[in-house]
Amino acid sequence: MTSPFKLLRVGVPAPSRLGHAFPPFDIASAREAGKLLDLNHEKYHCFFNESNFHNHFAHHILAAHQLGARPAEYPAIFEHAKESLSDDWKLNKKPTPGQGGIERITKENWTKHVGDRNHYWPYLEFFDHETRELGMGETLQRYVLSEEANRGGNQLLGRFVGGAIHPLIHCGYGAEFSLPGVMAEGLAMAMSTGPRFHKLFPTGWHDEIGVSESSSENSTAARMAKLNTDSKNSNGTSSTSIEGQENIDMLRASDGATASQPRSGLSVFSICTLAHADARIAPGQLVRHDMKDKFDALLSGDGPAILESHMSRWHVTEADVADPDPVTGRGGWAEKYEELAWLNTLLLGATSRPGKDVRHDFFLMHSHNATLFLPSLLPLLEPWARSKLLHATWRITFAMWIARGRAPFEISETLNRHSANPLDPGKKITFEDGKEGKPLAPLKERNAWYDVAEAAVNHGDEHAMKALRAQMHFATSFSSTQPGDIKLQPEAEEAVKKSKDGGAFRGLEQLDGSAFARTAGQLLVSQGWRHDGGFHYYKDGFHGSAAKCCRSDPPGIAGPFEEGAVHARASLPTLNDADVMKLAAAQKASYSTAFAKENASDRETITRLLYSLASRKEVERYLRIFSAANKFAVLKVGGAILTQQLDELALSLSFLHRVGLCPIVLHGAGPQLNEILEKEGVEPDYIDGIRITDAKTLRVARKVFLEENQRLVEKLESLGSRARPIPLGTFTASYLDKEKYGLVGKIEKVDKEPIESAIRNGCLPILTSMAETEDGQILNVNADVAASELSKVLEPLKIVYLNEKGGLYHGKTGELMEHINLDEEYEDLMKQEWVKYGTKLKLREMKELLDHLPRSSSVAIISVDQLQKELFTDSGAGTLLRRGYKLYRSDNIEQAGPERLRTLLRDNDQEIIDGRKSVAQFFSELSKHPYTIYGDDPNDVAAFVSRPEGEVPILVKLVATRNGHLNGVTDNVFNQIKKDHKRLVWTGRADDENRAWHYERSDGSFTRNGRALFYYGINDVGEVESTLRNLEDKGRIERAYLPLHAKAAPAGGARGLHTSARSRPALNATSPAGHRGYATAIERSAPLPATNTEKKRVALIGARGYTGQALVSILDKHPHLSLSHVSSRELAGRPLPGYTKSEVLYSNIGVEDLRKLEAGRGDSAPPDAYIMALPNGVCKPFVEAVQQGGEGKVGGHGTIVDLSADYRFEDAWTYGLPEIYSRQSVRDSKLISNPGCYATSVQSLIAPLLPHLDLSRPPTVFGISGYSGAGTTTGQNKVDSDGKPITLPKVSPESLQGGVRPYSLTDHIHERESMRHLSRLYNGKDEGVEVAFIPSVAPWFQGILSTLSAPLSAKITAKDLRKLYEDFYAGNPLVQLTPQVPEIKDVALKHGIRIGGFQIHSSGKRAVVVAGIDNLLKGAATQCVQNLNVALGYDELAGIDVE
């Protein structure tokens, strides 16, 4: 027996590709919409009567959903639809295959029943499956847009735009809300529609004016587009737009094209102007008012040929089907879409006669509404298909305009006489007077779009709802248009001059972005702000009198922010003030409101901590970019990371969470699984790198994954960051090859809802790579593969792979490959002999992944400890892979494209923005010498190198958009310049926010008068000076930099060669004898006398690391302090070693435990003081717990000393370096930030010299530390004989191989710390003293040596130099001065600081001094106890052995 037609569920609508006008009311709203869509899909035909009137129910539901409708509103919409959708209508009764000539549709017979509405159900079944198997884009291409679909009698394009364009509109809804079932309905509708408009698409119509299928089918763009249309999201839709178009994306609108000035052919505005002047298609010629069917009349006789003569002048080039710029949204198909959006807006809002009642044509409204769906459909298609869809939309719009009477566009007399801020005249927003109940004056100033949105979702007429929705979206995209932006091309302007009636567009020069609000308001005046049930559109066009037709409409519906039940039509709701506030808040917050719950000061503190990584502007730029991203990052975490670096991973994730970012974490567990299997006697087996998974392996894998997932979640929760475990439910899979691999899955579908639910609720989603089949069988999936599939659906900005190596390394040089531009380097890289096995596989996988994603996405391979640096700095960390763009070089402005260069310069070059130079002036100056222009095809970066024969080239300008910086294009362009030029000079502002980028790429630089000069390839200062003199003499650079060595150092004078720059005040030199003072309120003093000897208790929070061990050792000998609590999660319950005063056990003290302890509700009395020995970024919740616990207590909370960097930049905390700053401030404080180890050394060297430095050339400190300074980690499953986890160094001496390793070469956090506090010492401000600090790590365990090189403002002797230090540190017993250069043996295991080697350069104006400290003692633990002693009133050195 033949089985009945089986349809698939439509499902819940995904967020609109256009963005919701307002956030959906709640998840129940989407579910209710999904239920009704399923009902419509199963029960109702696309036509509801013999005249083939269309079933609009899905349109109405989805439009209302996008406008923010509530669940209670959908039944009312359904009841309205039921007035037309009769269950008894014959076509609603699904036939059985084989009855009445009805047969199943297959890939072989799909053209057989085209045009037969009785085969709607078979076609729906067929497309239900095709849209999910092929993806929506490929299905639309194959069955509507392809050559096969339009051969002979098929004519699918003519059917697709037939029926008042309903098939296109219906498919558009499917694409917009990622609903393959709705797309299937639209395609089945097209198959059931007659080919009425096929004459708009004659044979060969597309060959010369569009992107042909044959010319692009073998291109890289087409192949990548095919991959994208095959990539499906959870609903089976294509998940990404077409990317990687090497021959297409390089050509964007940045080449000067606009909506009215296209690259090729004429704009729609110019074509309509010429058509308006064509007497052959004047009203009464091809189409007359008395004709019953105006479309048939237009498409008979000479009509098609005349139409073709105009329509064919609209061209679509390859550049016109490229993707828009991901940041600006401009360029590519967006320009053609803008043309059609403007034309259809004017067709709707400017085609009534001046002075007459507004007339909205029913059919033109359909072309208007259809245009809205182009941004949802175009990204699904390949280039040739995008071209055909754009042309089809243009042609049906133009044909309708002619058929409906070719009305002129009365912009000044019709459109512009309507308000640009249309407010609902029936609404009054009032406050109630509590005493008398009298309303106050209505709120007069409000955004009219709120009223429009409420009217739209309430409007009983779905046509008006759809039109208003379109105007809202058009306004969002194009409302910045200014008068005069849209203009005619010369041929059309000539036609206007010759016309007697002013042409087609009357008042075009007045057209601006307010047109959308004016059109929306006009429509609501015409159709009613509150629909009265009538049908107020004109069906006879603009040929003559109106013929009205009425039908009933549904009850009025409550607005999206109105509480209460469904209202009757006559009494629609209004918004009160609270509702307006809700509306504004919802619009501002969008979907990512969960993080608004985070404490604002928390985010601010941690954001400031990020400034230690990079400049403030740099950090804030990345925060803005990531915060604006719908999906910020997918992090793939290897199993080894969870075992070896769980603490570091959790801290990094918590850090991101606290600044409002929510990475999606997916982890593996391979090493853990192997270990357990080996213990159980199961040998892991692999084929093609894929783990063979039998039932026993899967059982163990499931257990391991769940345990590791929970472990990470609990760790995050312990740090105060909410996390949600999602071990299963995200991935649906089929068997990869059951016979070969066993229970291994191939991911077929990704369900985003669990992830998005977690994010909405402020939780970090933590996923495993386990998948399930449709019938519930769990399958093992490779974690890298799962991360890739997840990323294809979510399209995050960043995909981060965390591994132990921290990046990809060159197989021959052994160097880290920091950037890989796949478009430029991939093919050559894959040919390298060292690229093989796993490396080749990894590169291939990354390439395939990025080919599916927008170009703004990137892949980073980094180590855990470099995560923040990768995300928030331009320099990044590890290896960054991007698809990049093809670069160009040109020796001619005309070749490079003057208009595109002009646009880039005008928008991004500060000199031109400020009006100090025009673009024409710059081009003229550049052309005086031979030059080369370097750039990228999307026009994100351009570099101009002037290169006269025999002279050093100058980089005259380097201009980049934000996108250029973000995508690393600037680096790629500069690398190309370096390949071409062995030497180069360039200049810039000293306060340029990207100055660090310039310093890193130069061999040297110096600054004068706020200008910085950089160079590479020039070997010494003498050569630099002679080169600059030559350049100045020839006028190639400004006269601002010579001489390099001035005899005096005036304010703002010459600066020494260096690697950092910032404008700063200069100091007048004074001799040491003058002992110039400090412009500061800091009161330095000798150690304060003790005022207390009482016994007190201290809690040590975070005791596992080296600093914690050193603190325990000091406190064990302290005469007054004893340890009450020692916190360590890994060691909880074990006795504290090295402490002999009493038995103390490690405990796992969480934030809540600490709050209770300080409040007196813990396991013992509150301690008198707390030492926070936690990593950076973690301390804040623990500090707040102590502060909250101490609220209301006499004397407040206990004293806190924090060893992390979290509070060293906080004004509310006292910075505790007793030998340099105020001891009294420490004694008076309960919040003390302990300085960093390097920062202690740096400040101790520089502070005595502050009054004598030449601050126009800041001092440099080179520091080298033992490897204990890098911190510790817990060894992977390694324990000692007592079962206690072994603590291992993060950097081992073995890894250093006997050498030293420089790191953090610029902007080290201790550099910033030193500059801030030295500036305060010097002038009482946060800036004014700059320091260049370069750290390295060495293979000894503990101890730091720092060497200062400091330019001086006046000559001094070595004797004078030492005297400065003796005077400064007099009475400070922990500072030892010595003539010899300190060595590590002099300071290791010592509590003080040793300063010596006092030398003066032969010029008398540069001092060199060396300091040594123990990084674990004076650099951390000793200084902490010093501060604690001072704060508690003890002798400063209590417990500290000075000897």
Side-chain angles (χ1 to χ4, degrees), residues 1245-1261:
L1245 281 168
I1246 295 176
L1249 290 178
L1250 272 181
H1252 312 288
L1253 295 176
D1254 178 355
L1255 292 184
S1256 67
R1257 299 180 295 149
T1260 299
V1261 179

Side-chain angles (χ1 to χ4, degrees), residues 685-693 736 740-741 744-745 780 782:
D685 191 13
Y686 298 84
I687 297 177
D688 303 328
I690 297 173
R691 182 193 297 273
I692 307 304
T693 307
L736 181 61
K740 186 174 182 180
Y741 303 115
V744 175
N780 184 25
N782 176 273

Side-chain angles (χ1 to χ4, degrees), residues 680-894:
E680 297 192 7
V682 179
E683 186 69 28
D685 191 13
Y686 298 84
I687 297 177
D688 303 328
I690 297 173
R691 182 193 297 273
I692 307 304
T693 307
D694 58 15
K696 183 174 182 180
T697 301
L698 185 63
R699 174 179 58 80
V700 176
R702 180 178 182 276
K703 180 175 182 293
V704 169
F705 270 115
L706 294 176
E707 288 175 350
E708 293 299 307
N709 189 265
Q710 192 60 35
R711 217 158 61 87
L712 177 54
V713 169
E714 288 176 354
K715 185 66 178 177
L716 287 165
E717 295 277 359
S718 74
L719 297 174
S721 290
R722 297 180 63 198
R724 180 174 294 180
I726 310 177
L728 284 167
T730 300
F731 301 110
T732 301
S734 60
Y735 289 95
L736 181 61
D737 186 331
K738 192 171 184 180
E739 291 185 5
K740 186 174 182 180
Y741 303 115
L743 300 172
V744 175
K746 174 187 176 185
I747 293 175
E748 302 288 355
K749 185 169 66 174
V750 177
D751 185 357
K752 298 185 293 183
E753 175 53 30
I755 297 169
E756 292 177 340
S757 173
I759 294 173
R760 285 196 299 270
N761 287 281
C763 300
L764 290 166
I766 312 298
L767 286 70
T768 74
S769 59
M770 290 189 294
E772 294 174 287
T773 63
E774 292 285 359
D775 56 6
Q777 171 64 52
I778 295 176
L779 298 178
N780 184 25
V781 176
N782 176 273
D784 284 349
V785 172
S788 178
E789 294 301 317
L790 182 65
S791 299
K792 290 174 185 176
V793 172
L794 298 179
E795 296 187 347
L797 280 179
K798 286 270 188 182
I799 303 99
V800 179
Y801 289 81
L802 298 176
N803 69 10
E804 301 91 325
K805 292 183 178 180
L808 295 177
Y809 289 81
H810 196 283
K812 286 190 175 181
T813 66
E815 294 179 351
L816 175 68
M817 301 172 67
E818 295 184 1
H819 295 91
I820 298 178
N821 180 347
L822 292 173
D823 275 6
E824 289 278 336
E825 304 173 48
Y826 178 75
E827 292 183 4
D828 289 339
L829 204 53
M830 294 298 277
K831 295 174 185 176
Q832 299 292 319
E833 61 181 26
W834 60 269
V835 177
K836 51 189 176 182
Y837 309 129
T839 303
K840 180 167 284 191
L841 177 63
K842 181 70 71 176
L843 285 170
R844 187 179 294 120
E845 288 174 349
M846 301 297 183
K847 175 72 161 59
E848 181 183 352
L849 170 59
L850 288 174
D851 283 347
H852 283 76
L853 297 177
R855 286 194 181 269
S856 54
S857 296
S858 64
V859 169
I861 304 173
I862 58 172
S863 58
V864 173
D865 58 344
Q866 293 292 304
L867 183 57
Q868 276 78 37
K869 186 175 181 184
E870 165 60 31
L871 295 176
F872 296 106
T873 69
D874 289 334
S875 58
T879 300
L880 181 70
L881 295 95
R882 289 190 179 279
R883 287 171 55 205
Y885 293 95
K886 292 290 185 183
L887 304 180
Y888 71 83
R889 68 163 70 82
S890 175
D891 297 337
N892 186 284
I893 291 173
E894 292 302 320

Side-chain angles (χ1 to χ4, degrees), residues 23 102 107 115 225 268 376 392 437 623 670 817 845 951 988 1049 1256 1427:
I102 301 297
K107 293 181 180 180
V268 296
S376 300
L623 276 174
M817 301 172 67
E845 288 174 349
E951 297 185 19
S1256 67
N1427 284 318

Side-chain angles (χ1 to χ4, degrees), residues 171 175 236 283 456 520 600 616 729 735 796 828 843 851 1023 1065 1179 1340 1387 1431:
C171 288
R616 182 187 187 101
Y735 289 95
D828 289 339
L843 285 170
D851 283 347
E1023 187 180 0
C1179 189
W1340 60 78
V1387 295

Side-chain angles (χ1 to χ4, degrees), residues 54 58 108 132 150 297 335 383 386 423 448 450 530 693 730 935 1001 1009 1046 1116 1175 1186 1206 1370 1442:
H54 294 89
E108 289 68 40
R132 289 164 171 87
N150 290 281
E335 305 298 338
R386 291 180 176 184
L423 298 174
Y450 296 157
R530 291 156 182 78
T693 307
T730 300
R1001 283 149 187 82
N1009 296 327
D1116 187 52
V1186 173
D1206 292 17
V1442 179

Side-chain angles (χ1 to χ4, degrees), residues 241-369:
S241 61
I242 301 173
E243 298 290 340
Q245 304 176 70
E246 297 176 346
N247 299 317
I248 296 175
D249 276 355
M250 62 179 67
L251 305 167
R252 286 229 174 105
S254 51
D255 58 10
T258 66
S260 61
Q261 304 294 316
R263 300 171 182 82
S264 175
L266 297 180
S267 70
V268 296
F269 310 98
S270 293
I271 295 172
C272 289
T273 298
L274 295 172
H276 183 267
D278 188 344
R280 296 175 298 170
I281 48 177
Q285 298 299 315
L286 294 177
V287 182
R288 298 192 309 275
H289 165 62
D290 59 352
M291 289 179 171
K292 182 177 180 181
D293 195 320
K294 300 176 177 60
F295 291 110
D296 283 351
L298 178 65
L299 296 174
S300 61
D302 294 334
I306 296 173
L307 291 179
E308 185 66 18
S309 69
H310 290 289
M311 295 187 301
S312 62
R313 304 196 70 180
W314 197 66
H315 296 177
V316 175
T317 69
E318 286 192 335
D320 294 323
V321 291
D323 283 331
D325 185 284
V327 175
T328 65
R330 310 295 292 177
W333 56 255
E335 305 298 338
K336 290 299 181 185
Y337 167 53
E338 184 178 0
E339 279 190 69
L340 295 173
W342 274 111
L343 177 61
N344 277 282
T345 294
L346 296 177
L347 282 172
L348 189 66
T351 48
S352 293
R353 293 192 181 100
K356 304 293 183 180
D357 291 338
V358 174
R359 303 177 63 176
H360 294 113
D361 183 85
F362 183 71
F363 290 94
L364 293 180
M365 175 170 280
H366 281 76
S367 71
H368 168 273
N369 293 349

